[in-house]
Amino acid sequence: MSIAGKLQHYIEREGVAYDIVPHHRTATTSQSAQAAHIPGSRLAKAVVVHHEAGYLLAVVPSTHRVELTSLQDAMDRRLGLASEDEVCQLFSDCEEGAAPPLGMAYDVPVVLDESFGHISDVYFEAGDHRNLVHVTGPNFLALMKDAQIARIGRPH
């Protein structure tokens, strides 16, 4: 797999140019950034959370962790981390642990950390542990046009 089908369909439907950046198999987004020789601050990491009405994708740089309290405040609801089984059901065309940040492709609402507002290039999981998608910062924001923007991340 080089890019998950739903993800590819969404990006192409939005008319956004992208590149695939292959790397050796990794287990974490931080390892992916190292393997692809890109700054971790430019790699978007997706964290799936659940609430009483469904799911939400919190997107932060791989150098950050999601501040659950800040996310709960932004959403005005109680949230918890989704289980791997839940994530696999939502992102059924992706490998376990390789969910891309474009929740819109999967009908999952997104909250995007405000730190992505001025980044020239953004990379993210392509749906497997061997490839990243690369888009320009403005194109990433265009893909995230329906996302809520908030300060939800904190550096590790």
Side-chain angles (χ1 to χ4, degrees):
M1 172 193 312
S2 61
I3 184 169
K6 289 181 182 179
L7 178 63
Q8 183 175 13
H9 178 73
Y10 176 74
I11 295 171
E12 290 176 357
R13 187 178 74 224
E14 294 297 314
V16 169
Y18 65 94
D19 302 315
I20 298 295
V21 180
H23 59 81
H24 65 78
R25 184 172 178 79
T26 58
T28 67
T29 52
S30 295
Q31 290 173 355
S32 296
Q34 290 175 342
H37 307 289
I38 60 169
S41 60
R42 292 186 180 182
L43 179 58
K45 172 174 69 174
V47 178
V48 182
V49 297
H50 61 85
H51 52 82
E52 66 280 353
Y55 297 94
L56 176 73
L57 208 56
V59 179
V60 296
S62 69
T63 54
H64 289 54
R65 63 183 175 86
V66 173
E67 275 278 299
L68 201 53
T69 305
S70 299
L71 183 58
Q72 288 181 146
D73 290 346
M75 297 307 299
D76 196 27
R77 58 179 50 184
R78 285 178 41 94
L79 303 167
L81 292 177
S83 69
E84 281 299 324
D85 286 343
E86 290 173 303
V87 176
C88 287
Q89 286 179 354
L90 288 171
F91 296 90
S92 59
D93 64 345
C94 298
E95 291 180 9
E96 185 175 320
L102 300 182
M104 303 78 171
Y106 297 86
D107 295 320
V108 178
V110 175
V111 178
L112 179 66
D113 188 71
E114 65 184 15
S115 63
F116 287 103
H118 303 290
I119 294 180
S120 59
D121 292 283
V122 178
Y123 300 81
F124 52 87
E125 295 286 357
D128 64 16
H129 295 281
R130 297 177 190 272
N131 295 284
L132 297 175
V133 176
H134 166 241
V135 296
T136 66
N139 279 343
F140 182 69
L141 294 177
L143 291 168
M144 292 291 204
K145 65 184 180 293
D146 295 328
Q148 180 175 336
I149 309 286
R151 179 175 293 189
I152 58 168
R154 170 181 277 176
H156 289 274

